[in-house]
């Protein structure tokens, strides 16, 4: 079944930068024995490369190489089939090849770029491919052994399952859900916080991981109070997008503060500030405050509250 989102309905944040895709991931085809061997070398099968979290880009597009001209790597994953013909012909099969450490990247024609480097310029197909490829390759590189017995696992089902030859257990790719929230007070001001790992001028919406056995709404209330001391209510879903750095799904909410007294935790969040729209615009224009880039859901949350694109420094 196609997973194209081109005609789908979206929540208030709309179609976010890293949530775009035009690929049919072919979930039902992955279980076919010998899937990759069967399509490798076909004129309709192309290869996407990843090395050290970067892919090969030419002319603002991901370089897809004919499979017939290269050998498969040890870590290869079926990414799906094109169902729209804007970038490649409909029906094109795309396989990810993760290059081994030490591969001679200079031998390839093009630039090796990270998702952060190039996401904003990519087409929907390429953005979806890069997010999918980065997330699944990150999982493989960090889940090489069985968590039950420690035996090295084997790759199956087109690269979407790792199985243990010792105890026959199967292991599937993991995604960590995280909530991210625009907190609004009774004066319609926005709460932003500064993470301890950031420069002094960088602020963003507050976020945190969902704990086992916890609903998304409960995570919103808990995380905001833990990080800022602010109690919120009425969490409302606005949108989501994958964040494969290395394996998160960012789920965006807005919530209403019961009061404006904020006390940052001093560990993860060092400072919090309330902004009116005029105050945030002035701080951004004066370059006193920086916020998240355009590919992040944090930026989308802030602009949703602001009512449009944020001003830039010097405007």
């Amino acid at each position: 079944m196609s997973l194209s989102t081109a005609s789908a309905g979206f929540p208030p944040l709309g179609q976010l930068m890293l949530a775009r895709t035009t690929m049919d991931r072919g979930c039902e085809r992955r279980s076919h024995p010998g899937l990759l061997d069967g399509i490798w070398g076909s004129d309709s099968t192309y290869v996407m490369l990843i090395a050290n979290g970067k892919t090969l880009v030419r002319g603002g597009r991901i370089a897809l190489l004919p499979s017939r001209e290269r050998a498969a790597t040890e870590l290869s994953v079926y990414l799906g089939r094109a169902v729209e013909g804007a970038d490649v012909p409909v029906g094109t099969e795309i396989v990810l090849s993760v290059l081994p450490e030490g591969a001679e990247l200079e031998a390839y024609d093009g630039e090796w770029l990270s998702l952060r480097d190039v996401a904003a310029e990519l087409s929907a197909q390429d953005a979806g491919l890069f997010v999918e490829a980065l997330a699944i390759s990150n999982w493989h590189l960090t889940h090489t052994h069985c968590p039950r017995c420690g035996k090295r696992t084997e790759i199956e089902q087109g690269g979407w399952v790792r199985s243990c030859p010792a105890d026959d257990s199967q292991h599937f790719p993991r995604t960590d859900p995280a909530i991210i929230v625009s907190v609004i007070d009774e004066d319609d001001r926005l709460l932003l916080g500064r993470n301890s790992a950031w420069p002094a001028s960088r602020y963003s919406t507050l976020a945190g991981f969902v704990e086992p056995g916890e609903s998304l709404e409960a995570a919103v209330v808990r995380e905001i109070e833990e990080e800022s001391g602010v109690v919120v209510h009425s969490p409302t879903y606005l949108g989501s997008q994958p964040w494969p750095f290395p394996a998160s799904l960012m789920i965006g909410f807005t919530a209403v503060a019961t009061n404006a007294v904020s006390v940052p935790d001093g560990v993860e969040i060092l400072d919090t500030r309330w902004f009116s729209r005029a105050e945030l615009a002035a701080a951004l224009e004066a370059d006193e405050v920086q916020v998240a880039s355009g590919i992040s859901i944090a930026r989308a949350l802030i602009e949703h509250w602001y009512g449009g694109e944020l001003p830039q420094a010097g405007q």
Side-chain angles (χ1 to χ4, degrees):
M1 180 178 67
S2 170
L3 296 185
S4 173
T5 58
S7 60
F10 294 99
L13 291 185
Q15 190 176 31
L16 295 168
M17 187 71 68
L18 299 187
R20 299 174 297 155
T21 181
T22 61
M23 295 293 296
D24 172 6
R25 291 194 176 199
C27 302
E28 76 286 355
R29 296 193 292 279
R30 296 172 187 166
S31 59
H32 294 178
L35 168 65
L36 293 182
D37 290 339
I39 64 174
W40 197 273
S42 166
D43 288 343
S44 62
T45 301
Y46 281 74
V47 180
M48 175 184 174
L49 304 178
I50 275 193
N52 305 316
K54 298 182 178 182
T55 196
L56 187 64
V57 176
R58 296 178 191 152
R61 294 175 55 182
I62 292 176
L64 299 175
L65 310 180
S67 65
R68 65 178 181 274
E69 296 180 1
R70 57 185 303 106
T73 55
E74 180 181 355
L75 178 48
S76 296
V77 181
Y78 180 68
L79 296 181
R81 177 183 294 166
V83 293
E84 296 184 8
D87 293 343
V88 295
V90 171
T92 299
E93 309 273 16
I94 300 178
V95 178
L96 168 67
S97 280
V98 180
L99 299 183
E101 189 174 348
E104 295 184 10
L105 305 185
E106 296 80 5
Y108 293 88
D109 177 24
E111 294 182 277
W112 291 92
L113 299 174
S114 72
L115 182 60
R116 295 177 190 268
D117 292 332
V118 77
E121 286 76 45
L122 293 178
S123 67
Q125 176 180 286
D126 278 358
L129 280 173
F130 205 162
V131 172
E132 179 185 2
L134 188 58
I136 191 66
S137 60
N138 283 341
W139 174 71
H140 275 291
L141 295 173
T142 56
H143 292 77
T144 55
H145 290 72
C146 176
R148 295 182 177 181
C149 69
K151 186 78 171 180
R152 186 172 182 86
T153 50
E154 299 172 348
I155 301 173
E156 296 182 348
Q157 297 193 25
W160 289 89
V161 173
R162 297 189 74 107
S163 64
C164 178
D167 61 20
D168 294 324
S169 60
Q170 289 187 317
H171 307 279
F172 298 86
R174 312 304 300 175
T175 297
D176 300 320
I179 53 88
I180 182 166
V181 189
S182 57
V183 177
I184 313 298
D185 73 359
E186 62 180 9
D187 295 322
D188 203 23
R189 296 182 303 169
L190 177 69
L191 179 67
L192 299 180
R194 180 168 67 85
N195 190 284
S196 59
W198 295 345
S201 59
R202 183 178 175 187
Y203 285 79
S204 189
T205 48
L206 302 181
F209 287 104
V210 180
E211 293 186 345
E214 185 176 45
S215 71
L216 298 176
E217 294 81 3
V220 168
V221 175
R222 176 185 55 77
E223 279 286 349
I224 298 305
E225 185 173 14
E226 286 180 359
E227 293 187 350
S228 70
V230 174
V231 177
V232 300
H233 64 87
S234 305
T236 302
Y237 173 72
L238 295 181
S240 69
Q241 77 170 0
W243 192 250
F245 305 108
S248 298
L249 174 66
M250 303 302 297
I251 306 160
F253 285 85
T254 189
V256 180
T258 60
N259 62 73
V261 178
S262 177
V263 181
D265 65 15
V267 178
E268 184 174 357
I269 303 299
L270 297 185
D271 186 33
T272 55
R273 292 176 61 181
W274 291 99
F275 290 91
S276 68
R277 290 171 180 80
E279 288 168 344
L280 182 59
L284 292 170
E285 291 167 357
D287 203 23
E288 295 173 356
V289 166
Q290 289 84 43
V291 296
S293 69
I295 71 167
S296 72
I297 191 171
R299 179 71 170 233
L301 286 168
I302 296 170
E303 291 187 337
H304 178 263
W305 162 81
Y306 186 74
E309 291 187 8
L310 296 172
Q312 304 296 317
Q315 286 188 342

